[in-house]
Amino acid sequence: MELVISGKFLLNERIFDGYIGIKDGKISKFSLRKLKGDSKIKAEKGQIILPGLVDVHVHLRDFEEYKKETIESGTKAAIHGGITTVFDMPNTKPPIMDEKTLKMREFLFRKKSYADYALGFLLAGNKPAKADFYKIFMGASTGGIYSKNFEEDFRKAPGIVSVHAEDYELIQEYPERPPIVEEVAIKKALKAAEKYKKPLHICHVSTKGGLQEILNKKLPWVSFEVTPHHLFLTRKDYEKNRFLKVYPPLRSEEDRRYLWSRIKEILIIASDHAPHTPEDKEAGSAGLPGLETEVHLLLDAVNKGLITLWDIVEKMSINPARIFGIKNKGWEEGRDADIIIIDMKREWTVKAENFYTKAGWTPYEGWKLKGKVIMTILRGEVVMEEDEIIGKPRGERIVREGSAEGSVGGREER
Ligand SMILES: [Zn+2]
């Protein structure tokens, strides 16, 4: 082994005290017996070893908006927050809607990314190019581009579609975007998914009605995500702090509680990291930075008994890898050695000044949290330790199932 990590690790819902052997950047063995290795990392008492996490919804800007966030600053923020793979949202400036812009995006990621990445492609009446996933906006959000014919764009997508489900017509009628705007859009999206039986992922579900629709339909090829801000904040917080404007908006306490009541059934948690600066926020931009607080809010929730550590592993590693068909991620032998070490006892206070994102502010400023990511390992190499980013950008694009490098079969159905 080139690296052995020892200590308490979480596997198949249980905590083991043992060893993880890493060879060629992959997990070669989970073992209870001592493994021989050249280099050793030990998780101390109170520390736990988890997989590096996957965030399937991240806006990294760059291109013409490099002053707001760059692939470099955004992926440093990701590994600082325990996230080793980011899904890049394509509503950039210019938007990623053609082959050439997608190639440019890939080139930038190859040069500057500190995390591994999946590349998205925006569909709004244009011709699809080969990407890792496709994004469709049913109504306008940041960037203003939306699909005038969701069903048609969905039908022609060559892979899984992530949809921002807020209905265009209803947004015109109700610019405050009450729950009905999301609920109607989710119904439309589900109808199309039922008709075409193609993989669909519904982004940032925020309402009781919307979540009920999805859970009642139970379509095995439909997945969905919930964001930390819809789990931890409400409209009341927005009324006190206008910077908390986001689409879909923060909801009532009743909606928030409902999301928590179905937490076991929530497939994916994703940040929807949107690094608007304070100046953008003053000017009314919608969206919240979240890469460096996402996992920490969840660790704090584990300490409060609201979820388990295994819930985090499922919703941010195992499920994203399975649903988006990523061959090299997940938490089993043979997959990439993306690992984080967390200290569940560490208490700390959220301060935007300690973050790597260029956003320069956080919705959770001053929050006292218990539980911290203290080390991040990407494919067998330490890339973050105690808030310090280590080494050069070495992010790689994810490997999709069914791709040239030895297929393990089609996408599994849930
Ligand atoms: Zn988004």
Side-chain angles (χ1 to χ4, degrees), residues 10-78:
L10 194 58
L11 188 66
N12 303 327
E13 298 186 61
R14 286 178 56 200
I15 287 187
F16 296 90
D17 203 346
Y19 304 83
I20 302 175
I22 294 165
K23 214 177 151 191
D24 300 325
K26 307 263 182 207
I27 299 168
S28 70
K29 204 172 177 55
F30 290 107
S31 171
L32 293 180
R33 288 210 201 122
K34 208 166 176 173
L35 298 171
K36 274 195 182 144
D38 306 332
S39 142
K40 290 181 185 66
I41 291 171
K42 192 171 185 302
E44 306 290 341
K45 206 165 163 271
Q47 301 178 351
I48 299 171
I49 304 160
L50 298 182
L53 301 169
V54 180
D55 191 332
V56 303
H57 193 152
V58 174
H59 298 270
L60 293 175
R61 310 296 182 224
D62 214 314
F63 283 170
E64 287 168 32
E65 293 182 306
Y66 65 91
K67 282 188 180 149
K68 295 189 181 193
E69 188 85 288
T70 59
I71 289 165
E72 179 182 336
S73 62
T75 54
K76 278 181 174 172

Side-chain angles (χ1 to χ4, degrees), residues 186-207:
I186 286 178
K187 272 187 209 168
K188 269 190 200 168
L190 287 172
K191 224 172 131 190
E194 207 166 16
K195 183 169 167 189
Y196 294 104
K197 298 187 169 52
K198 296 179 61 183
L200 178 71
H201 175 76
I202 302 171
C203 296
H204 39 54
V205 178
S206 64
T207 57

Side-chain angles (χ1 to χ4, degrees), residues 152-199:
E152 182 55 19
D153 282 319
F154 173 59
R155 188 189 63 76
K156 70 186 182 188
I160 186 165
V161 166
S162 286
V163 64
H164 181 126
E166 285 191 292
D167 184 77
Y168 178 77
E169 310 279 326
L170 285 174
I171 293 170
Q172 310 316 304
E173 211 171 318
Y174 308 103
E176 295 294 320
R177 308 190 182 208
I180 185 143
V181 174
E182 172 175 292
E183 288 157 10
V184 165
I186 286 178
K187 272 187 209 168
K188 269 190 200 168
L190 287 172
K191 224 172 131 190
E194 207 166 16
K195 183 169 167 189
Y196 294 104
K197 298 187 169 52
K198 296 179 61 183

Side-chain angles (χ1 to χ4, degrees), residues 57-59 89 91 135 137 141 164 203-204 247 272-274:
H57 193 152
V58 174
H59 298 270
M89 284 295 161
N91 59 331
K135 178 76 184 266
F137 288 88
S141 188
H164 181 126
C203 296
H204 39 54
Y247 296 145
D272 192 10
H273 175 78

Side-chain angles (χ1 to χ4, degrees), residues 296-345:
H296 292 122
L297 289 164
L298 297 174
L299 295 180
D300 189 66
V302 171
N303 271 321
K304 289 184 169 131
L306 295 169
I307 47 169
T308 66
L309 277 179
W310 187 250
D311 289 327
I312 301 177
V313 174
E314 270 188 347
K315 294 173 204 312
M316 295 194 67
S317 168
I318 296 171
N319 290 348
R322 187 194 65 229
I323 288 162
F324 285 88
I326 316 174
K327 198 156 63 174
N328 56 333
K329 302 300 177 190
W331 192 225
E332 43 184 281
E333 290 168 359
R335 307 257 171 159
D336 286 352
D338 299 342
I339 289 167
I340 59 175
I341 298 179
I342 56 168
D343 184 338
M344 286 305 284
K345 302 245 159 68

